[in-house]
Amino acid sequence: MYSETEDVIRALAENAESVCRAYLPAGRREGSYWIVGDLQNTPGRSLFVRLTGPASGPGAAGKFTDGATGEHGDLLDIIRERTGISRFPDLLAEARAHLGRSQPVLPDAPAPKKAKAPGGTPAAAARLFAASVPVAGTLADTYLRSRGITQGGMMSALRFHPKCWHRDEGQTRSLTRPALIAAVTDGAGVFQGVHRTWLAPDGQGKAAVETQRRAMGHLLGNAVRLTPHDDILVVGEGIETMLSLVEAVPGLPVWAALSSGHLGAVLLPEGLQRLYIAIDRDPAGRGAAERLSARATEVGISVRVLEPRLGDFNDDLRAYGKEALRQHLAGQIGPEDRHRLSG
């Protein structure tokens, strides 16, 4: 067990830049370091991850230090913080998935007399989703409508929880807040996690907290499947971004990968012929689109990139309206799919 753990940690260190690009996409490489604001992936220059160096000891690759807080650790700590996974075996599984390794086959062992359900796992995420209610008529619906989105109440992948636990870094206790809950599923439709967006008490925007969004469960390769795919698929980062495309073009099948790091790693369905990548207008979004485009092209999938006028497509929807957004998309969608614009 310990040798396998050390092997995973060593492999992560050997691929430190890949880990940083996936889990801290707001940062950038400068020399031998990946530099970002903090473990919450805030843009900035406080947290340094060493990308090169010996396997262990002083100056080892994969070690990080936050100059502002004094926090330090390794790449597993970064993955734990960014995914919300708290149980160590699940954390190792996430790391193996990032490295492209198969999961080990464990020998049969006697079942414990009584196992406490862990937090941060797909099972815990499924329980949270099951405890939530449909979006229509809730504060989550109010929130989405404040963003120009009217179709949220029709999405089975979205739900609302009136009292979802929330705790910011440094707080000693959790508080309950209303939250938009999104199901993260794999290619077989199996529940793998949830994404939470905490909301203001009146639903008119996000909660006034430091950490407004957080995910739990197994995210890498999976997505929030807002509408079913067919021979085409549109995939992008944020839930609101992708719902904005549904608002303008209801005939487009859309998924939300939740971040630029996960966008670049999303697993594409079999039988897909054409892929549209809806980017955010920032370096991380463009980099994720390049990685996903390369993977799709390798297996013969035609790729087009959809680019907003402003920062993302929800910015476009709120600034210009859905008809103008539809017309903007018409110039980027392939001729074989333009019939969907009237859907």
Side-chain angles (χ1 to χ4, degrees), residues 1-339:
M1 174 66 182
Y2 291 105
S3 62
E4 198 271 341
T5 299
E6 291 169 357
D7 182 54
V8 169
I9 293 173
R10 183 166 52 251
L12 289 173
E14 291 170 354
N15 295 273
E17 184 171 351
S18 169
V19 176
C20 291
R21 288 190 182 280
Y23 295 97
L24 295 172
R28 64 179 182 177
R29 178 167 187 160
E30 291 190 14
S32 299
Y33 294 92
W34 188 265
I35 300 176
V36 70
D38 52 33
L39 285 174
Q40 284 70 54
N41 193 39
T42 305
R45 300 182 57 83
S46 177
L47 189 143
F48 293 75
V49 185
R50 182 176 286 277
L51 301 180
T52 61
S56 61
K63 300 294 185 180
F64 77 84
T65 300
D66 190 325
T69 66
E71 290 178 282
H72 57 88
D74 59 23
L75 294 168
L76 270 182
D77 295 317
I78 290 174
I79 295 174
R80 178 190 291 113
E81 177 64 29
R82 297 300 302 136
T83 61
I85 297 172
S86 58
R87 189 168 175 267
F88 192 71
D90 298 319
L91 185 64
L92 278 183
E94 174 79 7
R96 291 190 203 99
H98 176 80
L99 293 167
R101 295 185 172 191
S102 60
Q103 301 300 331
V105 178
L106 301 176
D108 294 335
K113 292 181 180 179
K114 185 175 182 181
K116 182 181 178 181
T121 65
R127 289 193 297 273
L128 176 59
F129 193 79
S132 304
V133 300
V135 164
T138 68
L139 282 179
D141 201 2
T142 301
Y143 164 70
L144 292 173
R145 289 177 183 275
S146 76
R147 304 288 295 261
I149 297 165
T150 64
Q151 304 296 312
M154 302 170 61
M155 303 292 168
S156 61
L158 301 179
R159 293 176 76 86
F160 170 71
H161 198 296
K163 295 181 178 180
C164 183
W165 289 107
H166 174 276
R167 180 168 62 88
D168 266 330
E169 291 296 323
Q171 290 184 336
T172 58
R173 65 189 183 96
S174 299
L175 300 173
T176 59
R177 302 182 188 277
L180 172 67
I181 310 294
V184 178
T185 53
D186 63 17
V190 177
F191 209 99
Q192 295 295 335
V194 293
H195 183 271
R196 296 154 289 175
T197 303
W198 283 279
L199 308 176
D202 61 358
Q204 297 292 329
K206 300 186 189 73
V209 293
E210 181 179 348
T211 303
Q212 297 175 320
R213 303 172 184 266
R214 187 172 285 144
M216 63 188 294
H218 297 164
L219 306 185
L220 200 66
N222 303 314
V224 178
R225 289 160 166 80
L226 293 166
T227 58
H229 76 277
D230 44 45
D231 60 339
I232 79 162
L233 173 65
V234 186
V235 62
E237 295 183 37
I239 293 168
E240 296 89 341
T241 294
M242 302 315 292
L243 286 174
S244 298
L245 295 182
V246 174
E247 198 72 26
V249 188
L252 289 180
V254 300
W255 294 358
L258 300 176
S259 73
S260 59
H262 289 101
L263 174 60
V266 70
L267 297 178
L268 300 174
E270 292 184 6
L272 191 65
Q273 297 181 19
R274 297 181 299 282
L275 173 67
Y276 293 92
I277 306 174
I279 67 169
D280 290 358
R281 292 192 67 178
D282 56 33
R286 295 182 191 279
E290 290 175 3
R291 294 192 298 276
L292 182 56
S293 178
R295 289 174 43 227
T297 303
E298 284 181 0
V299 295
I301 299 172
S302 173
V303 180
R304 286 176 179 261
V305 173
L306 304 179
E307 185 168 347
R309 297 178 185 177
L310 303 175
D312 61 42
F313 284 107
N314 188 243
D315 291 340
D316 283 12
L317 176 65
R318 289 186 289 168
Y320 306 119
K322 65 181 181 180
E323 183 56 40
L325 178 53
R326 183 185 295 115
Q327 293 302 316
H328 178 65
L329 291 169
Q332 303 183 63
I333 291 176
E336 63 271 50
D337 295 314
R338 286 181 189 152
H339 65 281

